[in-house]
Amino acid sequence: MPERRTVALVTLGCARNEVDSEELAGRLEADGWDLVEDAADADVAVVNTCGFVDAAKKDSVDALLEANDLKGQGRTQAVVAVGCMAERYGKDLAEALPEADGVLGFDDYADISDRLQTILSGGIHAAHTPRDRRKLLPISPAERQESAAEVALPGHGPVDLPEGLAPSSGPRAPLRRRLDGSPVASVKLASGCDRRCTFCAIPSFRGSFISRRPSDVLNETRWLAEQGVKEIMLVSENNTSYGKDLGDIRLLESLLPELAEVDGIERVRVSYLQPAEMRPGLIDVLTSTPKVVPYFDLSFQHSAPDVLRAMRRFGDTDRFLELLDTIRSKAPQAGVRSNFIVGFPGESEADLAELERFLNGARLDAIGVFGYSDEEGTEAATYDNKLDEDVVAERLARVSRLAEELVSQRAEERVGETVHVLVESVDEDGVYGRGAHQAPETDGQVLLTSGEGLSIGRIVEAKVVGTEGVDLVAEPVTDSLACSEEAGR
């Protein structure tokens, strides 16, 4: 009997890429591949790349080169690039990085097993020629669903599969294989984006916005609950647009309560919200539905009107602060995070001061700050009024220092609050988890002062007694700990 083929998936970038990797894993396992964690133990190392900004692209290249270094030292025979950078640059990446034995685009995902087998056997699969994926679907959102079956949409794999095709398969098994035992999993709500922000190239290689069917989202969530998942995080390029191509822009408001009722799911979190598309009904559902956490990952990007208009975005400092006041009037402990770009072409000192005014008034729990850099193919890259690199670097350092100070202050405001902590790690370093206001990896964590008898996946009520920067230190409430232990028996 021939030795089974082994493959390792190395994932970089955002939670959307993590979902795509698990779909690839499901396809490969269904076709007889053994999945291993360490690239050194795999015949083929598949690197799911990120193509968003220069730093992410560098990390992706470094990961490909690191995997390539394994060849000839052990089992690894081939290194293959997939993901956003592979899709965005295709044959150009293949020429620039000959260390990669294959560069596969989204159209190759359905045949990933055959592609890897060809490469492993010494064959060559030609890297694709990049194209604007926005042109693959109709301009009108209402007409897209009929064309969706003809377009590769990573993370949109079928849910109702024949028995045996997916791990632990059944009527609700998705084309997905979990790559870790975390009690948290992302669920893709949609793909692509119809916004035309002048700094962003993502729509060109991820395509136009298209929603997944609510039934697929629900069934995948049920399957994840059967795998032991306690919290799901809904991801896409823009969750506030969910349903617009299905005839109901308010579909998210009706889907969230259904997801919260799935047996075994204790938390539903929504990420990637556009401030300009927030509506009262969605805020109400996010702040009042049991098990749906009041968490707002709002893509502000800036708050100075002139900069936002140059970005082809909307809003201003006062309107953004009013939105946050509305949210907190309904859920005072709501978590809010956002990202910002400084040094955008034409940004003046007055614009920067306006951004600082917003940050000082916003009381955000987590802040990401990025210095502007040109992205090829974007409108902003053609602007004439670019700032000098040293000016961008100085502004980045200045706003980053302010952001660090402000998120630490916001954490201190939470001392004395009661938080419900999902336990994610238990080891000699302590018991760590996240409160409802904290998303995985981006928003800090909670250190529990006592964790005897606790295990990963438990939700513990605790009182915040201290902070360590953005992180919280919390003391479990005795009664809730006893209830948690009883529930686990």
Side-chain angles (χ1 to χ4, degrees), residues 11-317:
T11 306
L12 295 96
C14 65
R16 300 184 294 274
N17 258 15
E18 294 172 5
V19 175
D20 295 349
S21 284
E22 293 196 350
E23 180 185 312
L24 290 173
R27 291 183 182 277
L28 290 166
E29 187 169 74
D31 203 49
W33 292 74
D34 284 338
L35 297 161
V36 297
E37 292 186 13
D38 193 337
D41 298 327
D43 296 319
V44 184
V46 177
V47 180
N48 193 347
T49 61
C50 178
F52 181 39
V53 293
D54 286 343
K57 287 181 274 191
K58 182 182 182 303
D59 288 344
S60 296
V61 170
D62 289 346
L64 287 163
L65 293 175
E66 183 178 342
N68 181 70
D69 289 342
L70 298 172
K71 291 192 292 188
Q73 298 182 18
R75 180 161 185 155
T76 308
Q77 301 173 51
V79 176
V80 175
V82 299
C84 290
M85 190 167 71
E87 173 64 35
R88 184 176 181 183
Y89 296 107
K91 62 180 183 179
D92 290 339
L93 177 62
E95 293 171 1
L97 196 70
E99 291 85 354
D101 299 286
V103 175
L104 305 181
F106 296 152
D107 292 337
D108 292 306
Y109 281 22
D111 301 307
I112 186 68
S113 179
D114 290 343
R115 300 288 187 263
L116 295 190
Q117 186 58 57
T118 295
I119 293 168
L120 191 59
S121 301
I124 296 175
H125 179 74
H128 74 106
T129 299
R131 53 181 172 168
D132 188 339
R133 297 191 71 86
R134 289 172 294 191
K135 299 178 180 179
L136 302 182
L137 290 169
I139 293 176
S140 170
E143 298 175 4
R144 289 177 189 166
Q145 289 291 326
E146 293 182 5
S147 304
E150 303 170 8
V151 177
L153 297 169
H156 286 234
V159 173
D160 296 319
L161 298 169
E163 185 174 356
L165 186 56
S168 305
S169 66
R172 294 192 299 271
L175 188 56
R176 179 172 181 173
R177 197 269 201 187
R178 297 218 67 207
L179 293 173
D180 61 38
S182 170
V184 184
S186 296
V187 176
K188 189 168 284 192
L189 196 61
S191 288
C193 186
D194 287 342
R195 301 183 71 87
R196 293 297 179 262
C197 301
T198 59
F199 56 83
C200 184
I202 289 176
S204 66
F205 57 85
R206 276 291 185 178
S208 298
F209 184 90
I210 186 162
S211 305
R212 294 182 70 198
R213 295 180 302 169
S215 58
D216 283 351
V217 177
L218 273 165
N219 286 336
E220 185 166 339
T221 299
R222 294 186 182 109
W223 179 81
L224 288 167
E226 291 169 359
Q227 311 303 304
V229 169
K230 299 299 181 184
E231 175 181 324
I232 62 163
M233 184 167 71
L234 300 178
V235 299
S236 75
E237 278 73 25
N238 178 10
N239 281 332
T240 34
S241 283
Y242 180 69
K244 72 175 187 179
D245 53 321
L246 295 170
D248 185 1
I249 190 60
R250 294 176 176 79
L251 192 56
L252 185 57
E253 286 93 309
S254 58
L255 176 61
L256 286 171
E258 294 185 71
L259 292 170
E261 292 176 359
V262 172
D263 288 343
I265 296 298
E266 298 298 330
R267 275 186 189 167
V268 178
R269 185 182 304 277
V270 184
S271 62
Y272 305 113
L273 300 169
Q274 288 291 338
E277 297 180 31
M278 291 300 294
R279 45 197 180 266
L282 180 56
I283 294 174
D284 287 343
V285 170
L286 288 169
T287 54
S288 65
T289 307
K291 295 188 178 182
V292 175
V293 295
Y295 176 79
F296 294 81
D297 176 11
L298 293 163
S299 177
F300 289 120
Q301 302 299 342
H302 212 283
S303 73
D306 288 346
V307 176
L308 287 169
R309 301 308 173 267
M311 291 178 168
R312 293 198 189 282
R313 297 178 66 84
F314 306 94
D316 55 47
T317 296

Side-chain angles (χ1 to χ4, degrees), residues 299-370:
S299 177
F300 289 120
Q301 302 299 342
H302 212 283
S303 73
D306 288 346
V307 176
L308 287 169
R309 301 308 173 267
M311 291 178 168
R312 293 198 189 282
R313 297 178 66 84
F314 306 94
D316 55 47
T317 296
D318 292 333
R319 275 189 276 185
F320 289 165
L321 291 176
E322 183 179 348
L323 171 62
L324 295 178
D325 286 344
T326 299
I327 290 168
R328 289 178 175 132
S329 70
K330 298 175 181 293
Q333 294 186 4
V336 186
R337 81 168 319 277
S338 192
N339 293 324
F340 300 88
I341 298 172
V342 297
F344 193 80
E347 180 191 62
S348 66
E349 278 289 342
D351 293 329
L352 192 66
E354 185 69 359
L355 173 59
E356 291 172 328
R357 181 171 81 88
F358 171 69
L359 292 174
N360 277 294
R363 296 171 57 231
L364 302 177
D365 292 279
I367 300 171
V369 186
F370 301 88

Side-chain angles (χ1 to χ4, degrees), residues 2-17:
E3 187 174 11
R4 287 173 66 90
R5 304 158 296 179
T6 57
V7 59
L9 284 141
V10 180
T11 306
L12 295 96
C14 65
R16 300 184 294 274
N17 258 15

